[in-house]
């Protein structure tokens, strides 16, 4: 047996290890993205905005931005500027989010629209903070922004998508059954 027969197995293990390491590094960002999408879904389902939830996400992302930038800051003055800038940045976005939730403003929006508007504000705040702090935070903001039209499209197309899944499932079951009869 030659040495090349061992390489693919090692290669697969190396790829799996790299993928696992990447997933571990990106897990916080994926969790935040999942929490943001959950907030929109919950708001749409319950038909009421989650008042404290969006503030919590904004504060959590702001704290993450400071923690990430803190390690990159060269000195104490840079850290102070980073903390002050991020505090002002996220305070402004929290005020904007709360304005959307005011009864006089929120009466113009239904619950799904409120959730999407809050996600869009959170996405914008995250992207702008990411430009200042970390490329990964900026990508998180872009992913949240892309989720807004994707969620809206999915909500409009949900019935069609369910029908398509049922048809594909029926076709797969028919061919799977036919394949089982042919081999018997």
């Amino acid at each position: 047996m030659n040495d090349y027969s061992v390489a693919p197995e090692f290669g697969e293990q190396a790829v799996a290890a790299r993928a696992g390491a990447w997933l571990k590094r990106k897990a916080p960002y994926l969790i935040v993205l999942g929490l943001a999408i959950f907030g929109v879904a919950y708001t749409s389902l319950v038909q009421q905005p989650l008042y404290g939830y969006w503030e919590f996400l904004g504060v959590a992302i702001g704290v993450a931005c400071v923690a990430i930038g803190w390690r990159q800051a060269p000195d104490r003055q840079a850290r102070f500027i980073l903390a002050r800038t991020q505090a002002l940045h996220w305070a402004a976005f929290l005020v904007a989010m709360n304005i959307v939730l005011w009864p006089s403003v929120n009466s113009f929006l239904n619950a799904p629209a409120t959730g999407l508007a809050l996600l869009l504000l959170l996405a914008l705040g995250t992207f702008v903070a990411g430009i200042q702090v970390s490329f990964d935070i900026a990508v998180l903001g872009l992913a949240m922004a892309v989720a807004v039209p994707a969620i809206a499209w999915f909500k409009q197309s949900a019935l069609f998508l369910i029908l398509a899944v049922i048809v594909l499932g029926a076709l797969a079951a028919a061919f799977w059954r036919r394949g089982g009869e042919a081999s018997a």
Side-chain angles (χ1 to χ4, degrees), residues 11 16 25 43 46 80 97-98 117-118 124 126 131 134 139 143 151 161 169 184:
R25 281 192 321 271
T43 300
V46 177
F80 174 75
M97 288 175 161
N98 280 298
L118 292 171
L124 177 62
T126 303
I131 289 173
S134 164
V139 170
I151 291 169
L161 292 172

Side-chain angles (χ1 to χ4, degrees), residues 2-178:
N2 61 22
D3 290 335
Y4 298 111
S5 63
V6 177
E9 182 177 289
F10 175 74
E12 291 171 10
Q13 289 174 349
V15 168
R18 282 194 302 262
W22 180 86
L23 191 59
K24 188 175 180 181
R25 281 192 321 271
K26 304 302 181 192
Y29 306 107
L30 296 172
I31 290 169
V32 169
L33 180 61
L35 288 172
I37 292 171
F38 170 79
V40 173
Y42 185 83
T43 300
S44 296
L45 185 67
V46 177
Q47 297 294 315
Q48 291 182 353
L50 293 166
Y51 290 99
Y53 187 78
W54 296 102
E55 287 90 349
F56 165 75
L57 277 177
V59 170
I61 295 170
V63 168
C65 288
V66 171
I68 291 168
W70 196 269
R71 292 183 297 220
Q72 299 169 355
D75 59 12
R76 185 175 180 191
Q77 182 181 4
R79 290 179 178 148
F80 174 75
I81 291 170
L82 167 79
R84 183 187 66 201
T85 303
Q86 288 299 308
L88 292 171
H89 170 88
W90 285 104
F93 277 98
L94 289 173
V95 167
M97 288 175 161
N98 280 298
I99 289 172
V100 169
L101 292 171
W102 281 351
S104 59
V105 174
N106 196 270
S107 64
F108 292 104
L109 302 171
N110 61 19
T114 300
L116 290 175
L118 292 171
L119 178 58
L120 187 59
L121 278 171
L122 188 64
L124 177 62
T126 303
F127 177 75
V128 173
I131 289 173
Q132 299 171 359
V133 175
S134 164
F135 177 76
D136 288 338
I137 297 285
V139 170
L140 174 62
L142 284 175
M144 284 192 279
V146 168
V148 171
I151 291 169
W153 176 83
F154 183 76
K155 186 170 173 75
Q156 290 177 347
S157 306
L159 185 60
F160 174 74
L161 292 172
I162 290 170
L163 181 62
V165 167
I166 290 170
V167 168
L168 288 173
L171 287 172
F175 283 116
W176 179 63
R177 190 173 205 196
R178 182 176 282 169

